[in-house]
Amino acid sequence: MKVSYKFLLAACAAVVLIAGMSMRKAALPQVKLGFIPLTDCAPLVAAKELGLFQKYGVDVVLTKEASWANIRDKVLNGELDGAHCLFGMPFSVYTGVGGKAGSEMQIAMVLNNNGQAITLSKDFCGLVGYKEVGKVNAAVKQVQGRKEVTFAMTFPGGTHDIWLRNWMAAAGINQKSVGIITIPPPQMVANMRVDNMEGYCVGEPWNGVAASQNIGFTQIASQDIWKHHPEKALVVNKAFAAQERENLKNVMKAILEACQWLDNIGNRKKAAGWLSKPYYVNAALPVIEARLLGSSDLGCDLGVAKYKEDYMTFYNKGYVNTPRKSHGMWFMAQYVRFGYLKSNPDFKGIAEKLILDDLFAEVAHEAKIPIMTDDMKPFKTTYDVSFDPSNVGAYLASTKK
């Protein structure tokens, strides 16, 4: 029996059409997440490299961004569905400290605790040592006898900015007597190398890189300022959170599984290998690995500091990931304390608007992840007075004494 050429063509076309329809039907929904090259983008990287996003039914595209301002703008305009982001950024942006007041970026979950640091330049070698906060003010004044002193952070009202300002307050430094500038994390070491600033607060590996290159030394880690503090969060576009709730939930489940994997210390060398790649953090593997394992070669002949339960954590039996309204309120209180805001914002109302704690509770329940119940209870950081979220006014009054 003869088969016509036209019939074969038609049959082939039909097969191609059916295959194409099947592929489209099988395609996973795509989600775009941004990140800054920092060690604590590890939950997103691990979820991608371990195939966890696909496991939970989403095709996540990770995009490396140049600065926190880029992250802010792209999350707000929907170019990114979400991002690895400073926990303080949504509050900074909403209150007008770091963006257009009233702009909503929402926090779905916390990605990590601890693991940032303050690096000082070699100008301070021999003047102040590791965690010697009481000697910092005198050291700054001594350096100011030769030059102006400038410190850098990564985003106004972000976590690094607030750790820096709390450290200066604890040290007794008049914050108007020094310069404070904004520099993206990956550019910190290069700027210190050319003497653009004498100190900075940033996430790893950029403190470790400065020490390894003999450009500066680690004076204090952020967990020494506030043990188990919130650091990075999964921050999402408001419309995405509302309109693609199931996709967001699946993204969160993948990241939660990655956070648990990362807190198995035996997996951290593998994670460091991924992070060192040019398309992720692009920094020396030994530096990333050491600090991810809790070992900090401080630089300036200060030796090695070992962190045990308070190194960078991503899960910590569930403690890390619950987003707390009281932590958002604390950040906004710092904006008033340090003069960013002239009057008190609606602390609780803004925190309730920006933190998706109901969503997290739903995801955690489905993923069998513990939900912490300590939100809205008083807490205390290392060098500060106790913060009671039910009486922010009393806290602010006590910081002025």
Side-chain angles (χ1 to χ4, degrees), residues 156-173:
T159 53
H160 304 129
D161 183 21
I162 298 307
W163 309 148
L164 178 69
R165 292 178 187 274
N166 270 258
W167 170 77
M168 287 193 286
I173 297 170

Side-chain angles (χ1 to χ4, degrees), residues 117-120 163-164 167 200-201 207 217-220 225:
I118 291 173
T119 289
L120 296 180
W163 309 148
L164 178 69
W167 170 77
Y200 60 73
C201 184
N207 301 287
F217 67 96
T218 300
Q219 202 280 318
I220 194 169
I225 298 170

Side-chain angles (χ1 to χ4, degrees), residues 328-338 341 345 347 387 392 395-396 399:
M329 294 169 69
W330 182 86
F331 270 89
M332 289 184 280
Q334 305 311 302
Y335 304 160
V336 177
R337 175 186 182 187
F338 295 123
L341 298 177
F347 295 107
F387 178 80
V392 183
Y395 165 81
L396 287 170
T399 62

Side-chain angles (χ1 to χ4, degrees), residues 193-370:
R193 184 182 290 113
V194 297
D195 205 28
N196 281 345
M197 76 287 217
E198 285 65 50
Y200 60 73
C201 184
V202 75
E204 296 301 345
W206 307 115
N207 301 287
V209 170
S212 69
Q213 295 182 4
N214 197 30
I215 291 166
F217 67 96
T218 300
Q219 202 280 318
I220 194 169
S222 57
Q223 55 265 42
D224 299 318
I225 298 170
W226 177 4
K227 185 177 179 179
H228 300 325
H229 62 78
E231 180 50 44
K232 301 302 187 302
L234 176 65
V235 170
V236 294
N237 173 273
K238 183 181 179 182
F240 171 72
Q243 297 167 15
E244 299 193 44
R245 185 180 178 90
E246 289 305 312
N247 287 336
L248 174 54
K249 285 173 62 178
N250 288 331
V251 166
M252 292 168 67
K253 288 173 185 177
I255 292 173
L256 281 167
E257 187 169 331
C259 287
Q260 293 174 77
W261 183 88
L262 284 163
D263 264 14
N264 179 337
I265 202 71
N267 292 330
R268 293 208 172 184
K269 288 190 175 186
K270 188 170 187 177
W274 293 330
L275 292 166
S276 68
K277 301 299 184 185
Y279 44 85
Y280 289 133
V281 177
N282 193 26
L285 174 58
V287 175
I288 295 177
E289 183 179 293
R291 295 209 171 195
L292 197 52
L293 291 168
S295 179
S296 297
D297 188 344
L298 300 170
C300 204
D301 297 323
L302 292 173
V304 176
K306 298 281 189 179
Y307 289 89
K308 294 183 180 178
E309 88 287 355
D310 59 345
Y311 49 28
M312 188 182 291
T313 55
F314 300 95
Y315 181 66
N316 194 11
K317 300 178 182 177
Y319 180 85
V320 171
N321 308 111
T322 301
R324 295 164 175 83
K325 296 187 290 289
S326 56
H327 291 171
M329 294 169 69
W330 182 86
F331 270 89
M332 289 184 280
Q334 305 311 302
Y335 304 160
V336 177
R337 175 186 182 187
F338 295 123
Y340 274 132
L341 298 177
K342 301 299 183 186
S343 58
N344 290 355
D346 179 5
F347 295 107
K348 188 176 181 183
I350 295 170
E352 289 175 343
K353 184 187 293 283
L354 301 185
I355 292 181
L356 303 176
D357 51 346
D358 289 345
L359 172 68
F360 179 80
E362 186 178 328
V363 171
H365 175 74
E366 293 176 10
K368 297 181 172 53
I369 298 295

